[in-house]
Amino acid sequence: MALDPKSTDAVVIAINIARDSNQPDSAIAIAQRGIAAGADKTILEPVLLGPIGVAVKKAQESKERGDWEGALQVAESIDKTSGSPATKFFVGLSSFQVGLDALQTSQKLGGEKGKDAKESKVKACAEAKVAEDMWATAQIAITAGGSYNPQGAAGIMTNIQQYGEYIPQMKKQCCTAK
């Protein structure tokens, strides 16, 4: 890459070395430098999807919100570089999952009774707002990236439409001062 920064082959080799060394951030940075220098973005895209795939797989296996947030961060970072339908799809998928967890947490917190109910409602309100923001991001990203996985995109959009009606209810229940 030092001799020819726009050499797509050199960029792919450097990305693979970084990825194999478990340095996904370095792989992304190398790709960004290569694309900025003029390397072929269409050839680099499949290589860039590797770190997203690893992050999404980890999140799917753990089902932990923190892992979905990590997948979202990786997808957004790579999307800034390649801006392809695939990266946008993964931004949408990850945003949807973070929003779903936030909605479920909001519902759980909003239903608490007793002495901690007021504090729980404040937290529930914050979670409902996270869900709303994440699903807005998901809808935009899925619309732009739906061609990458039409069936997956349709499922996400259906779920947002179906469960999205609960967000205003949670906000009304938990975000109003009482």
Side-chain angles (χ1 to χ4, degrees):
M1 282 184 67
L3 296 174
D4 184 5
K6 64 181 178 179
S7 168
T8 303
D9 291 337
V11 174
V12 169
I13 291 168
I15 289 171
N16 285 328
I17 291 170
R19 188 190 65 221
D20 292 346
S21 300
N22 198 25
Q23 298 176 343
D25 292 341
S26 294
I28 294 167
I30 290 166
Q32 289 170 333
R33 282 196 317 255
I35 290 170
D40 188 343
K41 190 167 132 177
T42 59
I43 292 174
L44 293 179
E45 182 182 17
V47 179
L48 285 170
L49 291 178
I52 296 175
V54 169
V56 167
K57 183 179 179 193
K58 179 181 177 186
Q60 287 173 327
E61 289 173 355
S62 75
K63 298 177 178 32
E64 295 289 326
R65 181 171 170 177
D67 289 336
W68 280 112
E69 290 169 336
L72 176 59
Q73 185 179 16
V74 170
E76 286 177 330
S77 178
I78 293 172
D79 186 56
K80 289 176 186 170
T81 300
S82 77
S84 70
T87 59
K88 292 192 183 321
F89 174 81
F90 287 114
V91 167
L93 172 64
S94 301
S95 297
F96 168 73
Q97 292 293 345
V98 172
L100 180 61
D101 183 85
L103 179 60
Q104 291 169 338
T105 301
S106 177
Q107 289 174 324
K108 180 181 173 189
L109 290 168
E112 290 195 15
K113 307 284 185 215
K115 65 177 184 162
D116 295 331
K118 186 174 183 177
E119 185 178 326
S120 291
K121 286 197 186 289
V122 170
K123 291 177 183 176
C125 175
E127 289 292 300
K129 290 176 181 178
V130 168
E132 183 175 54
D133 291 345
M134 287 290 102
W135 282 7
T137 299
Q139 288 175 312
I140 293 166
I142 287 296
T143 299
S147 64
Y148 175 76
N149 182 343
Q151 187 176 3
I156 290 169
M157 293 300 276
T158 298
N159 282 318
I160 289 174
Q161 185 176 26
Q162 182 178 356
Y163 298 113
E165 67 187 47
Y166 295 112
I167 294 172
Q169 292 172 9
M170 289 308 301
K171 286 175 66 179
K172 183 177 180 182
Q173 176 185 337
C174 300
C175 297
T176 55
K178 291 183 181 179

